[in-house]
């Protein structure tokens, strides 16, 4: 374990984040060690800052619902995982509602709640199922082998979020590249700024167009119902749309790809779904628990002195809530390091918890269920053509997953 030393000369704070040195489907060893030995402990980030990392389930839930932990990245002490993330602290760049605290966070989130309710997602399900069928038709027609990420996992959520927002799908390659750059911890600051500004400029033009050419989509409703009456500025609408687009396809696309890989690698799990598709809703929850793609931790900063897991966190100190570690906590989940689709885990924290719980979780669940149902029905003989050690994993990205998944059937 790599560590730094504090002023007293004692080992104090391991360098973080750390890569998965063993199996890429397992947590980094450091994270498991921290959860069992030092569940709330300091780490050292790239800039020398030493935030706390919370790794146990009960502590994570407490932290996620505590109003004394702020999501506002402009507050001193806010922890940034990489230099490119810290670029966002520039106050000249508008910040989306994800990085706001109540009451403004609550006000803006309420504007979107009705767009993502379960009933609305259920009404969308036939359209999503049709997209799944179309993508699989094309992949099968092109023949085996194929890259499941490129042919299926990435285009499905891109198509869905485009339809929801009212974004022309012919622009999907542009926004996929911009969103990829924005969450790449290794990308240069200039590239991140350029990608962010290009995406905002795109939505600036599109929102302006929607004002005079409205349609039945989320962006048109934001312009008509929130911008026109003055509830949101034009820039706020643009920022909200950009956040929804990036969040709406990056996480789901990566979850589809790495979820399928986990099912194929774990003995008997893919076969179980092929034999009994009724297991799929529970399997989605188990996959979200087992392979939580938000893998470096949700960043927060304490606004006053507080206690987490018996440790005093001072005002102005950063906190990273490690969802992936919490979702494998043996105090809550039986055999947490084993994937079992017959053991659904709906109490997982993959979508967060509290006021900042993922707004789009009904959409993500629906898409993941539709994707898996289509795959096990159409491609029960699916298998990966490369060993794990030859696959490219997104170790240095904010959202974990695969760059490609070569498969045959």
């Amino acid at each position: 374990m790599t560590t730094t030393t504090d002023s007293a000369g004692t080992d104090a704070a391991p360098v973080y984040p750390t890569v998965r040195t063993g199996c890429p489907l397992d947590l980094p060893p450091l994270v498991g060690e921290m959860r069992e030995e030092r569940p709330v402990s300091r780490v050292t980030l790239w800039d020398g800052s030493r935030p706390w990392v919370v790794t146990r389930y009960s502590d994570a839930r407490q932290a996620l619902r505590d109003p004394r932990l702020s999501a506002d990245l402009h507050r001193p002490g806010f922890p940034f995982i990489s230099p490119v993330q810290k670029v966002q602290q520039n106050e000249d760049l508008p910040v989306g509602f994800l990085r706001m605290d109540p009451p403004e966070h609550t006000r803006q989130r309420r504007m979107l709640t009705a767009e993502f309710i379960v009933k609305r997602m259920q009404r969308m399900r036939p359209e999503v199922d049709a997209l799944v069928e179309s993508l699989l038709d094309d992949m099968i027609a092109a023949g085996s082998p194929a890259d499941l990420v490129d042919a299926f996992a990435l285009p499905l959520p891109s198509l869905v979020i485009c339809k929801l927002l009212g974004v022309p799908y012919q622009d999907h390659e542009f926004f996929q590249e911009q969103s990829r750059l924005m969450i790449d911890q290794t990308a240069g600051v200039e590239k991140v700024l350029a990608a962010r500004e290009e995406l905002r400029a795109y939505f600036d033009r599109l929102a302006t167009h929607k004002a005079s050419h409205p349609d039945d989509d989320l962006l048109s409703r934001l312009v008509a119902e929130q911008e026109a009456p003055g509830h949101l500025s034009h820039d706020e609408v643009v920022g909200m749309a950009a956040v929804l687009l990036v969040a709406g396809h990056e996480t789901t696309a990566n979850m589809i790809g790495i979820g399928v890989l986990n099912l194929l690698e774990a003995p008997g799990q893919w076969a179980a779904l092929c034999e009994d598709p009724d297991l799929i809703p529970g399997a989605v929850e188990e996959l979200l628990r087992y392979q939580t793609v938000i893998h470096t931790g949700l960043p927060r900063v304490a606004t006053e002195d507080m206690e987490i897991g018996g440790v005093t966190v001072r005002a102005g100190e950063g906190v990273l809530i490690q969802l992936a570690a919490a979702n494998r906590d043996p105090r809550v989940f039986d055999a947490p390091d084993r994937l079992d689709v017959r053991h659904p885990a709906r109490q997982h924290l993959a979508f967060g918890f509290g006021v900042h719980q993922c707004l789009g979780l009904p959409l993500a669940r629906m898409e993941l269920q539709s994707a898996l149902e289509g795959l096990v029905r159409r491609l029960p003989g699916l298998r990966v053509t490369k060993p794990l050690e030859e696959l490219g994993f997104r170790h240095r990205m904010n959202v974990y997953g695969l760059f490609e998944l070569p498969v045959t059937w």
Side-chain angles (χ1 to χ4, degrees), residues 154-212:
L154 187 57
L156 177 61
S158 297
L159 283 162
V160 173
I161 199 64
C162 281
K163 179 172 181 56
L164 197 67
L165 274 173
V167 173
Y169 185 66
Q170 60 262 33
D171 297 333
H172 72 283
E173 290 186 0
F174 162 79
F175 73 68
Q176 285 171 1
E177 176 62 13
Q178 308 318 309
S179 62
R180 182 193 67 78
L181 285 168
M182 287 169 63
I183 65 170
D184 186 348
Q185 295 175 18
T186 64
V189 169
E190 294 80 7
K191 286 185 177 180
V192 173
L193 280 172
R196 182 182 172 111
E197 288 310 304
E198 284 192 39
L199 196 59
R200 288 188 61 84
Y202 175 86
F203 275 109
D204 177 40
R205 295 190 298 270
L206 188 59
T208 300
H209 176 77
K210 297 285 185 184
S212 55

Side-chain angles (χ1 to χ4, degrees), residues 103-135:
E104 184 59 19
H105 167 267
T106 308
R107 186 183 77 87
Q108 292 199 20
R109 183 181 170 107
R110 282 177 180 158
M111 297 174 182
L112 297 166
T113 303
E115 300 285 346
F116 294 96
I117 59 174
V118 173
K119 285 185 179 180
R120 194 180 192 98
M121 296 302 102
Q122 289 172 341
R123 290 197 298 272
M124 279 188 66
R125 178 63 187 265
E127 295 177 84
V128 175
D129 288 345
L131 292 173
V132 167
E133 290 299 305
S134 177
L135 290 169

Side-chain angles (χ1 to χ4, degrees), residues 131-152:
L131 292 173
V132 167
E133 290 299 305
S134 177
L135 290 169
L136 290 176
D137 284 345
D138 292 345
M139 190 172 84
I140 292 168
S144 171
D147 176 7
L148 191 73
V149 170
D150 184 63
F152 183 76

Side-chain angles (χ1 to χ4, degrees), residues 321-333:
I321 304 166
Q322 234 292 354
L323 303 180
N327 278 336
R328 291 204 189 188
D329 190 339
R331 294 153 196 80
V332 179
F333 304 102

